[in-house]
């Protein structure tokens, strides 16, 4: 009896709760959405880019509405596995390679006719402790690192798969913001030579995918981008295989660097291609119409910077929807960084991307 009463009361409470106290994000009227019906990848390819893409992650594949949008290859011609190809996911124990999750992303891309950007071989995060705390000698760690990357690259290389692995972030985030090398097990054991070593091993394993170093805060001139430029120059003059530099582009609404395009050009001048690899533009919540309008302008300026540089091959957003964005989990009080909202509805930022590809 009591249970029935509680259920009855809850039946009335649930609708009441959903209408009470509208959140600040949806105060008087709903925020404006996008108006364009364009398809981003088709548009990007029509102006000579290789793709417009999105990151994705395996737990999201159970969301049918999400997956339907992601799988539209006119909208997204490329996907990046946000987590499934990382070291902790693919070699959790030394010599034990697990490709179940990674293969799911590959199969999705293949089924959809989408390119993949591999992400990543060597990074100081999401690194199993058997690597980071193994106290290996330089020779041992060199072998561990090259075995890991060679195995991953050989597993996924284009020769053996129908889908195309267009690029691979071989080295991820090697620098601190002050331009010094990140103090991780690779740098601490091997010095900066680990970068050339792993790039060389990657080329041998898969001669066709484009080998990248991927980094954040290169989008404006400063000590970090200078350090990266010096690294590119020294790798190039040593004949080390290196094809591209990834500009992650985790940006803030109203603070897109004005020299973004010059930064892209300064790297293509060194003989590498560039790509915008992890674009999102976050805001301090709550969402307002003014912030959405600024975000629209910001997406447009990033995308038009890539458009203007012929060596900028494509743009990848770091998941397309706020529903699965990493931002709220990493930056308290911030979010709404993606072009689609939590309900998979296109935001004004979408129109900004379209305008950036068209203008
Ligand atoms: O999107 C990824 C998130 O799900 C992980 O929790 C996080 C762990 O650091 O990594 C995220 O992706 C990162 C990418 O691999 C490298 N550049 C920064 C991205 C955001 O942290």
């Amino acid at each position: 009896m009591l249970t029935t009463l509680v259920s009855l009361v809850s039946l009335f409470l649930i609708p009441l709760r959903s209408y009470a106290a509208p959140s600040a994000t949806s105060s008087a009227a709903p925020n404006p959405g996008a108006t364009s019906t364009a398809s981003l990848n088709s548009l990007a390819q029509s102006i000579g880019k290789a793709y417009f893409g999105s990151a994705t992650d395996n737990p999201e594949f159970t969301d049918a509405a999400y997956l339907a949008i992601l799988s539209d290859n006119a909208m997204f011609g490329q996907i990046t596995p946000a987590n499934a190809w990382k070291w902790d996911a693919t070699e959790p124990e030394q010599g034990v390679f697990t490709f179940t999750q990674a293969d799911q992303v590959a199969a999705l891309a293949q089924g959809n006719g989408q390119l993949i950007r591999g992400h990543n071989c060597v990074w100081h995060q999401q690194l199993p402790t058997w690597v980071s705390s193994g106290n290996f000698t330089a020779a041992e760690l060199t072998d561990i690192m090259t075995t890991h990357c060679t195995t991953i690259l050989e597993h996924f290389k284009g020769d053996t798969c129908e889908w195309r692995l267009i690029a691979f972030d071989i080295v991820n985030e090697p620098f601190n913001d002050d331009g010094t090398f990140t103090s991780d097990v690779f740098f601490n054991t091997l010095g900066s030579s680990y970068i050339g070593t792993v790039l060389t091993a990657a080329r041998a394993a898969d001669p066709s995918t484009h080998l990248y170093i991927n980094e954040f805060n290169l989008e404006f001139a400063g000590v970090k981008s200078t350090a990266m430029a010096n690294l590119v120059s020294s790798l190039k003059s040593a004949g080390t295989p290196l094809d591209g530099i990834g500009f992650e582009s985790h940006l803030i609404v109203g603070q897109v660097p004005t020299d973004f395009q010059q930064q892209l050009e300064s790297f293509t001048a060194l003989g590498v291609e560039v790509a915008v690899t992890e674009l999102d533009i976050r805001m301090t919540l709550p969402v307002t119409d003014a912030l959405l309008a600024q975000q629209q302008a910001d997406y447009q300026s990033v995308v038009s910077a890539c458009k203007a540089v012929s060596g900028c091959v494509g743009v990848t957003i770091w998941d397309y929807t706020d529903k699965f964005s990493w931002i709220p989990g990493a930056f308290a009080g911030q979010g709404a960084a993606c072009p689609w909202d939590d309900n998979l509805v296109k935001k004004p930022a979408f129109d900004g991307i379209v305008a950036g590809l068209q203008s």
Side-chain angles (χ1 to χ4, degrees):
M1 177 63 190
L2 186 62
T3 325
T4 317
L5 202 63
V6 169
S7 323
L8 273 174
V9 170
S10 336
L11 264 180
F12 287 103
L13 278 181
I14 290 163
L16 273 181
R17 272 175 39 203
S18 40
Y19 288 106
S23 76
T25 61
S26 60
S27 47
N31 293 121
T35 56
S36 173
T37 56
S39 294
L40 301 180
N41 185 56
S42 303
L43 209 47
Q45 291 188 330
S46 76
I47 59 161
K49 302 301 173 191
Y51 57 83
F52 190 97
S54 174
T56 190
D57 203 4
N58 303 57
E60 302 163 15
F61 299 167
T62 55
D63 184 324
Y66 167 85
L67 199 60
I69 296 172
L70 181 74
S71 297
D72 173 5
N73 66 15
M75 190 63 81
F76 301 116
Q78 172 273 324
I79 59 181
T80 303
N83 288 302
W85 290 28
K86 289 174 177 172
W87 199 316
D88 60 355
T90 51
E91 195 186 5
E93 291 171 55
Q94 187 167 6
V96 178
F97 286 87
T98 53
F99 289 115
T100 316
Q101 302 270 304
D103 286 347
Q104 275 178 15
V105 182
L108 180 73
Q110 180 176 343
N112 293 339
Q114 292 163 320
L115 304 168
I116 286 201
R117 292 194 81 262
H119 180 80
N120 56 56
C121 270
V122 176
W123 189 27
H124 60 277
Q125 288 184 33
Q126 293 174 283
L127 187 63
T129 49
W130 73 262
V131 186
S132 55
S133 309
N135 291 313
F136 297 112
T137 64
E140 287 167 342
L141 189 63
T142 300
D143 184 50
I144 285 166
M145 179 182 72
T146 54
T147 298
H148 177 76
C149 294
T150 299
T151 306
I152 305 286
L153 270 278
E154 285 183 343
H155 182 81
F156 289 116
K157 72 177 170 185
D159 299 359
T160 53
C161 301
E162 286 171 38
W163 48 270
R164 225 174 117 225
L165 185 58
I166 189 170
F168 210 120
D169 296 325
I170 300 300
V171 177
N172 201 44
E173 302 174 2
F175 287 111
N176 297 309
D177 279 347
D178 67 1
T180 58
F181 283 101
T182 307
S183 168
D184 61 13
V185 67
F186 305 106
F187 179 74
N188 294 343
T189 310
L190 303 170
S192 61
S193 70
Y194 84 88
I195 296 171
T197 302
V198 73
L199 285 165
T200 303
R203 177 69 93 228
D206 181 351
S208 55
T209 195
H210 286 199
L211 308 179
Y212 272 65
I213 303 174
N214 189 48
E215 185 57 276
F216 61 93
N217 285 349
L218 302 179
E219 298 85 23
F220 51 92
V223 286
K224 190 177 199 177
S225 66
T226 301
M228 182 66 88
N230 291 339
L231 175 63
V232 171
S233 300
S234 73
L235 290 169
K236 284 277 166 197
S237 57
T240 306
L242 173 68
D243 302 300
I245 296 297
F247 283 59
E248 290 189 12
S249 312
H250 294 293
L251 301 172
I252 300 172
V253 165
Q255 297 179 37
V256 170
T258 51
D259 53 347
F260 198 123
Q261 184 182 326
Q262 288 99 299
Q263 285 297 106
L264 295 172
E265 284 163 344
S266 72
F267 280 87
T268 58
L270 300 175
V272 287
E273 64 184 44
V274 292
V276 175
T277 53
E278 302 186 12
L279 177 62
D280 51 27
I281 311 183
R282 62 186 183 267
M283 61 182 69
T284 298
L285 300 173
V287 174
T288 64
D289 291 1
L291 284 166
L292 290 176
Q294 182 62 50
Q295 186 182 50
Q296 175 177 359
D298 292 340
Y299 266 97
Q300 180 172 346
S301 66
V302 172
V303 171
S304 55
C306 179
K307 180 186 185 228
V309 178
S310 62
C312 183
V313 299
V315 174
T316 306
I317 46 181
W318 205 241
D319 227 318
Y320 72 84
T321 164
D322 294 333
K323 187 171 188 179
F324 298 126
S325 172
W326 70 294
I327 295 290
F331 300 93
Q334 297 184 51
C338 302
W340 276 253
D341 72 12
D342 283 320
N343 299 314
L344 308 180
V345 174
K346 287 182 249 171
K347 294 154 63 176
F350 179 88
D351 288 340
I353 296 171
V354 171
L357 291 168
Q358 284 173 332
S359 56

